[in-house]
Amino acid sequence: MKCVELDGVFLYPTQSCERYDESRVNYYMELFSNGDHKPRAVAYNAMGGMSALLDGHHKACAAARLHAPLDTILIAKGHLAGARENMHICFGYEMDPKHDIPFDRTITMPSKLYKQYSEQLERAFGGKKQSPPVLYKGLPVESRFSKRDWEECYTESAYYYLYAYQLAAEKVFDFNAVEGMSAKEIYDYAFRQEDTVYFAQALMSRFVRTKDKRTRELLKEFTRLPFSGDSKQIIAASLRYMMNFKDEETEKIFIDFAVCDDDYLANIAKDYWEDVE
């Protein structure tokens, strides 16, 4: 067995929502809050960052209600990687000398496991064309997890967690580099990146999600860009995020865009008043 820290993306439930028990959720919420014994779940890794939640459905509900991360013990199936003469049993996406297990035919292994890896080795180097796997075979059309009308405290909790594209962006960019920068310095730093549009959008998403105190000023900096080329994508994103702010100064910014000569940005700006209660 090997232990390694990984970032999960998606935990898929394996129990029916009919087993939901509000009292159990409240119990785990209390455990999360007092900090003495932080609950942990158990899941099986299916592919990439997607995992099947085996134990801890009420813990996951409690974490969602508190907008907190859920520490999970993840069971990952090893797979063969490397050259024929230097095969390793890996548990991640890439070979990792610290955690991988060298594959040695002479070591004692359970016969079923040895047969499994031998067949995998044959498929990898045998040159035989493999049939694609049949996905979703035998699964019911209607999900047993959608039979419950979830309360707003659950549906709204999604706002506080990363989407897959946001997680990918945080892996690509080093956001620690902007930790001590002002909004204006971050603005200048964004235009020194290889992909300014992707970096700016990912950064705005992170700031809004984490409620960074520099968010408002940074969004205002991006709205001052000229209406040309890729800059329009950055302006559009900043306008959408600025809809979270309801005050006279923000409204004036949207008025200026609503009457501007660019129809694309003007149409986005007009949505501001549709969100006003």
Side-chain angles (χ1 to χ4, degrees):
M1 296 178 63
K2 297 286 181 178
C3 293
V4 59
E5 291 188 6
L6 297 172
D7 289 320
V9 177
F10 187 74
L11 288 174
Y12 192 83
T14 59
Q15 293 182 1
S16 170
C17 63
E18 294 174 351
R19 300 184 64 179
Y20 176 82
D21 184 344
E22 180 74 13
S23 64
R24 294 300 293 167
V25 176
N26 292 332
Y27 169 75
Y28 286 119
M29 287 178 67
E30 186 176 346
L31 284 184
F32 270 112
S33 300
N34 63 33
D36 294 336
H37 301 286
K38 191 175 181 181
R40 291 190 298 182
V42 179
Y44 179 79
N45 181 247
M47 61 178 75
M50 298 180 65
S51 303
L53 188 58
L54 303 180
D55 177 74
H57 291 71
H58 289 100
K59 297 172 187 176
C61 287
R65 293 264 289 267
L66 296 171
H67 310 151
L70 177 63
D71 291 342
T72 306
I73 299 173
L74 187 65
I75 302 171
K77 179 181 177 181
H79 60 275
L80 287 180
R84 179 188 282 270
E85 298 78 17
N86 186 29
M87 298 297 295
H88 282 69
I89 301 174
C90 302
F91 298 92
Y93 306 115
E94 301 176 354
M95 293 184 67
D96 183 354
K98 183 179 179 181
H99 299 102
D100 294 347
I101 303 173
F103 182 76
D104 187 349
R105 289 184 175 84
T106 63
I107 63 175
T108 303
M109 296 179 66
S111 58
K112 185 177 181 180
L113 185 62
Y114 183 83
K115 182 175 182 294
Q116 170 190 329
Y117 284 120
S118 297
E119 291 175 351
Q120 186 176 340
L121 188 67
E122 179 64 28
R123 288 196 301 269
F125 297 101
K128 296 180 182 179
K129 187 175 181 180
Q130 302 295 318
S131 301
V134 179
L135 300 177
Y136 313 118
K137 183 178 180 180
L139 292 180
V141 175
E142 183 181 359
S143 170
R144 60 184 177 181
F145 309 116
S146 62
K147 296 179 180 179
R148 185 179 190 277
D149 292 328
W150 293 94
E151 295 83 353
E152 286 188 7
C153 59
Y154 289 113
T155 56
E156 293 179 355
S157 66
Y159 177 81
Y160 298 90
Y161 294 94
L162 290 171
Y163 289 101
Y165 80 89
Q166 292 172 321
L167 178 64
E170 296 199 9
K171 291 295 183 183
V172 171
F173 299 115
D174 179 18
F175 289 127
N176 291 326
V178 303
E179 189 64 32
M181 294 184 183
S182 66
K184 183 62 172 68
E185 290 171 333
I186 296 173
Y187 172 85
D188 295 333
Y189 179 77
F191 288 92
R192 296 198 297 269
Q193 305 306 305
E194 183 176 351
D195 190 335
T196 300
V197 174
Y198 187 33
F199 178 82
Q201 291 176 335
L203 185 63
M204 286 187 279
S205 171
R206 177 182 173 86
F207 270 34
V208 170
R209 180 177 56 83
T210 59
K211 297 182 179 180
D212 191 286
K213 62 183 181 181
R214 299 164 293 178
T215 301
R216 183 192 181 101
E217 193 59 38
L218 179 63
L219 295 176
K220 287 168 58 179
E221 290 287 345
F222 283 131
T223 59
R224 298 184 182 121
L225 283 168
F227 306 167
S228 61
D230 292 340
S231 68
K232 285 176 61 173
Q233 298 181 49
I234 299 177
I235 298 172
S238 64
L239 287 174
R240 292 187 179 103
Y241 286 125
M242 285 193 74
M243 290 184 187
N244 292 298
F245 302 100
K246 306 299 182 182
D247 54 72
E248 291 184 5
E249 183 184 5
T250 304
E251 185 174 27
K252 185 179 184 306
I253 293 174
F254 278 93
I255 291 174
D256 291 340
F257 276 97
V259 297
C260 73
D261 296 331
D262 190 284
D263 292 338
Y264 174 65
L265 296 176
N267 288 332
I268 294 176
K270 292 172 184 176
D271 290 338
Y272 177 77
W273 289 273
E274 292 184 7
D275 293 338
V276 175
E277 296 181 357

